[in-house]
Amino acid sequence: MILSVIPSLLLAFVLQTSQISFQQLLGSWQLVHFESIDQLRNSPQYRNSDAAMREGLEYKIQNRLENTVYNFVAGDSLKYTDYVSQEVVQRQAKIEISKDSVMTIHTATEIRQAKIVEFSGDRMVLAPISNKAGAGKLVFERIK
């Protein structure tokens, strides 16, 4: 019985002690999913809206996914796309990654944080650290 628990404990220990380094992030990452999409699609407003309204929202969702790219570059920098008044703009920030895999993004006007909750060579899941409601996980895939 005790022997069956050991592999689970070892896995938990490895996951907790594995630290993500900035070097592992270098390259481009495309947003492929965010939990807010699910919340929107399950909302009464979305479900009760007409086909044209849903189509417009789906277009905006797809546009957001296609235009959200994080490009981690040497020098602990991040170049990324952002939306300002429904227009795509290019931004740059400095990045720090703590020992507990919290990514701190220093922009010109604010500091944002997200926990890296899943990471592989080609997939990264971020959980924003925020007091705002609806700040769900963001799923990125590496662009080759």
Side-chain angles (χ1 to χ4, degrees):
M1 177 75 173
I2 293 175
L3 291 177
S4 64
V5 175
I6 292 174
S8 298
L9 291 174
L10 285 174
L11 178 61
F13 178 74
V14 168
L15 290 175
Q16 286 180 345
T17 59
S18 63
Q19 179 182 354
I20 312 288
S21 73
F22 185 82
Q23 290 297 112
Q24 292 172 284
L25 300 178
L26 288 176
S28 296
W29 297 81
Q30 175 82 46
L31 181 66
V32 295
H33 184 77
F34 55 99
E35 287 182 347
S36 298
I37 294 172
D38 299 332
Q39 294 169 359
L40 172 68
R41 288 180 178 146
N42 290 324
S43 72
Q45 295 86 353
Y46 181 88
R47 290 180 177 212
N48 295 329
S49 63
D50 61 30
M53 177 69 86
R54 283 194 304 274
E55 186 176 310
L57 288 170
E58 290 298 327
Y59 173 80
K60 288 178 181 180
I61 290 168
Q62 192 59 37
N63 190 35
R64 173 65 68 126
L65 292 172
E66 290 173 0
N67 288 296
T68 302
V69 176
Y70 281 14
N71 186 21
F72 294 92
V73 295
D76 296 339
S77 293
L78 169 65
K79 294 180 180 180
Y80 63 101
T81 53
D82 198 5
Y83 279 84
V84 176
S85 301
Q86 297 185 359
E87 296 215 11
V88 178
V89 295
Q90 296 296 315
R91 302 253 191 224
Q92 188 163 344
K94 284 292 189 185
I95 299 294
E96 294 176 28
I97 301 176
S98 69
K99 290 181 181 179
D100 57 348
S101 299
V102 172
M103 180 186 304
T104 303
I105 303 169
H106 299 270
T107 70
T109 59
E110 65 183 336
I111 297 174
R112 298 179 186 174
Q113 289 189 309
K115 172 87 172 164
I116 303 172
V117 294
E118 181 184 325
F119 184 82
S120 70
D122 295 326
R123 179 180 162 92
M124 173 173 57
V125 179
L126 301 177
I129 299 171
S130 173
N131 294 331
K132 296 178 183 178
K137 292 178 185 164
L138 303 148
V139 180
F140 290 84
E141 290 181 356
R142 188 180 295 273
I143 301 171
K144 300 216 178 192

